[in-house]
Amino acid sequence: MTSGIRPKRDEETVIAGSCDSENPRRVDGLQLLGEYRGAAYEEPRFLVYRPDGQAVLLTPLLYRVLTHLDGRHSLASVAERVSADHDRAIGPDGVRYLVEQKLEPLGLAVLGAPVEQVPTADPLLSLSARGVLFPARMVRTIARLFAPLHLPAVVAATLGTLLALDLWMFTSGQADAAIRTTVGDPAAMLVGVGLLLVSTLFHECGHAAGCHYGGARPGAIGVGLYVVFPVFYTNVTDAYRLNRAGRLRTDLGGIYFNAVFIVVLGCAYLTSGYAPLLAAAVLVHGQIIQQLMPTLRMDGYYIVADLVGVPNLFGLIGPIVAGLARRGRRGGRHAWRAEINLRPFARRVVIAWVLLVIPFLAGGLAVMLLRAPTYIGIAWRSTAERWTAVEQAFTHGQVATILIDTFATLMLWLPWVGLGFLLARVLQRAVRAGIRAVNRRR
Amino acid sequence: MVEDMTVLEREHVEFLPSREALGGLVNVNIVVPVNLAIAVLGSAALACQNAVGIIR
């Protein structure tokens, strides 16, 4: 399944060097990581990382061929070796076919001319307008520092304390009182918003620490626009190399660190009695619930994907929909199941997820587009009110009000910037597809 | 010996997208992002302003 893949155009993507002889070889820097663990595939899949970090899943035969492409053995020799340790015999022509048609175009192996433009995954619903806050090296230091929070004893103590704190917070009436106090005071509200931002950044540290604890290397932490809303992100692509438990620890690390943050805020409130601390603790619960949503690539999506054992749920939407559309045709079901390559239980769960996510995304986008004029009108009026408030606050030197209204105005417009990026991507893909269709007809 | 190219053609390659763990800045739902943004931030800010008499 290579849908959603596009060739990169910049020169940095030239990763396959020339090959002096007829002996095929792997590209320099390719990592062979063995079987993708904890997967629900009928036929296992094997994981490799390209030098540019692109993760690729291969069939057992392709992986076996790749392991023997060391540049010292001819096609015939590679065929012999693959046949010796694989349950299917293959000849030199077969190896040549796999190298030339499958491995070389994807920048995994070299036999003939160097590949100048290798494709890379390019999912439609991905981050746009991204910027790095903490580079990978700094994130790895942070991850090392916080990794002990993932020790089982620490996790048990934290969750026990959280439970006790929540029982007290929501039964004593303190939470409600703290929120009422906070929203009535711009300075306190600014502190609350600031604490929520810190909580979200700490959430990202939880993913990085979980990734590191399992033995993988986290990448950068940054900010970007996901679909239509602003987010922090942590690059944990290397978590693909972990087993299922390691991947789930990485997935859950964010909301677990939210729980740690709630405990710290609760303890600070008990010590100081400062209301914004408890108000923020309550609102962080909302962040946790939001993160568990499985429809977009929030934490809930990765948790479902790793529990089921499918690394790329979105990549299965097309094949699932196509399979459901041609259901009932002779031989169609068998071919479809072979293409999906999932065990029965996983297949049913993925179908249920697809049937949930399609109306959610389509409905969301439709509502956004249909109601855009109304929403933009409201946003425009609200911006005018904010601006008036900022002007008056500026006159009176009320810094907290200035900051809150500026932040609120930014939040009002960011979704529309995100929608603009999303529509531009859709348009770009449509144009590319049109060009390809025209070229095919010529 | 496997030399049937139609069999080899079915050998499967899948690119995995980069795995980015996200954290939302605000509780904005995709269905009604602007409504919620206004409700969560706009009205709260207005409530603050009203409470302390900055605007009205």
Side-chain angles (χ1 to χ4, degrees):
Chain A
M1 201 176 309
T2 53
S3 59
I5 297 172
R6 66 174 170 79
K8 276 189 175 178
R9 290 179 183 166
D10 48 1
E11 292 178 358
E12 294 166 9
T13 63
V14 181
I15 60 174
S18 63
C19 194
D20 294 335
S21 69
E22 261 293 279
N23 293 346
R25 65 171 176 83
R26 297 185 294 275
V27 296
D28 296 335
L30 193 80
Q31 293 183 60
L32 301 163
L33 296 164
E35 185 173 344
Y36 184 78
R37 293 177 283 173
Y41 295 119
E42 291 273 18
E43 182 190 48
R45 290 290 178 260
F46 288 76
L47 181 65
V48 301
Y49 285 169
R50 246 179 15 198
D52 63 350
Q54 174 63 59
V56 187
L57 285 182
L58 300 173
T59 60
L61 178 61
L62 280 170
Y63 187 80
R64 192 68 64 194
V65 168
L66 200 53
T67 57
H68 289 292
L69 301 184
D70 55 10
R72 290 183 285 119
H73 293 90
S74 65
L75 288 167
S77 176
V78 170
E80 267 180 40
R81 286 160 165 262
V82 171
S83 300
D85 61 5
H86 194 68
D87 57 353
R88 289 160 60 181
I90 188 166
D93 288 345
V95 172
R96 176 184 287 278
Y97 177 86
L98 291 179
V99 172
E100 287 183 341
Q101 300 300 316
K102 299 284 183 177
L103 300 174
E104 199 171 47
L106 301 182
L108 302 174
V110 189
L111 177 60
V115 178
E116 293 192 356
Q117 291 182 355
V118 293
T120 191
D122 181 31
L124 179 64
L125 296 179
S126 59
L127 278 171
S128 55
R130 68 176 69 199
V132 171
L133 285 179
F134 305 126
R137 181 179 288 186
M138 189 187 292
V139 171
R140 283 169 199 152
T141 304
I142 294 168
R144 259 197 309 277
L145 187 70
F146 287 122
L149 287 174
H150 283 283
L151 289 167
V154 180
V155 173
T158 303
L159 296 183
T161 310
L162 175 71
L163 190 65
L165 195 67
D166 277 356
L167 273 174
W168 167 78
M169 198 160 49
F170 292 113
T171 57
S172 65
Q174 297 273 343
D176 188 41
I179 288 180
R180 274 191 278 115
T181 305
T182 303
V183 297
D185 176 3
M189 183 141 166
L190 195 61
V191 172
V193 171
L195 286 171
L196 280 180
L197 287 177
V198 174
S199 167
T200 311
L201 258 180
F202 194 57
H203 171 103
E204 297 306 319
C205 295
H207 289 300
C211 185
H212 173 83
Y213 186 92
R217 286 161 63 86
I221 289 178
V223 290
L225 284 173
Y226 183 65
V227 187
V228 295
F229 53 95
V231 291
F232 287 118
Y233 73 87
T234 309
N235 188 332
V236 288
T237 304
D238 199 35
Y240 282 128
R241 73 164 71 223
L242 302 177
N243 61 13
R244 191 199 302 250
R247 291 196 300 270
L248 279 168
R249 185 185 294 107
T250 305
D251 302 336
L252 290 164
I255 58 175
Y256 168 59
F257 269 42
N258 283 143
V260 172
F261 200 74
I262 290 170
V263 168
V264 170
L265 287 174
C267 293
Y269 174 76
L270 288 172
T271 309
S272 67
Y274 186 50
L277 295 170
L278 198 61
V282 173
L283 293 175
V284 175
H285 285 78
Q287 284 187 318
I288 291 175
I289 293 167
Q290 184 200 26
Q291 278 295 332
L292 291 173
M293 192 168 68
T295 43
L296 294 169
R297 283 184 211 270
M298 309 301 278
D299 294 350
Y301 167 85
Y302 288 110
I303 291 167
V304 170
D306 287 326
L307 281 175
V308 177
V310 179
N312 183 17
L313 284 171
F314 274 110
L316 284 170
I317 289 181
I320 294 275
V321 170
L324 292 175
R326 61 173 185 257
R327 199 171 47 166
R329 288 187 202 167
R330 181 175 291 181
R333 177 174 286 199
H334 181 73
W336 174 58
R337 285 184 176 173
E339 184 188 358
I340 301 293
N341 186 37
L342 291 178
R343 293 178 196 144
F345 176 73
R347 193 171 60 234
R348 287 188 202 109
V349 174
V350 173
I351 290 172
W353 179 82
V354 169
L355 293 178
L356 170 76
V357 83
I358 288 178
F360 178 85
L361 291 181
L365 191 61
V367 168
M368 279 284 288
L369 292 174
L370 289 173
R371 303 217 53 188
T374 309
Y375 290 155
I376 289 175
I378 294 170
W380 188 254
R381 283 196 298 277
S382 189
T383 300
E385 287 173 9
R386 300 273 87 72
W387 180 246
T388 307
V390 166
E391 283 181 328
Q392 293 191 4
F394 191 78
T395 310
H396 295 92
Q398 292 158 328
V399 178
T401 306
I402 293 170
L403 290 175
I404 286 176
D405 280 305
T406 306
F407 183 72
T409 306
L410 189 68
M411 290 297 110
L412 282 173
W413 289 103
L414 271 180
W416 300 104
V417 176
L419 187 65
F421 273 111
L422 180 64
L423 292 178
R425 289 169 72 90
V426 171
L427 192 65
Q428 187 184 37
R429 280 169 183 248
V431 169
R432 274 198 206 133
I435 292 171
R436 277 198 301 272
V438 169
N439 287 340
R440 271 198 300 272
R441 283 184 188 170
R442 280 178 184 169
Chain B
M1 182 167 296
V2 182
E3 295 298 346
D4 183 352
M5 300 312 170
T6 57
V7 174
L8 295 180
E9 167 60 29
R10 288 202 291 270
E11 289 296 316
H12 184 87
V13 178
E14 180 177 358
F15 275 35
L16 298 179
S18 37
R19 204 174 161 110
E20 279 148 343
L22 306 180
L25 275 177
V26 288
N27 290 323
V28 179
N29 186 297
I30 183 172
V31 180
V32 281
V34 177
N35 274 356
L36 285 184
I38 290 168
V40 172
L41 288 161
S43 62
L46 267 181
C48 296
Q49 291 157 351
N50 289 340
V52 294
I54 294 172
I55 294 180
R56 302 178 184 91

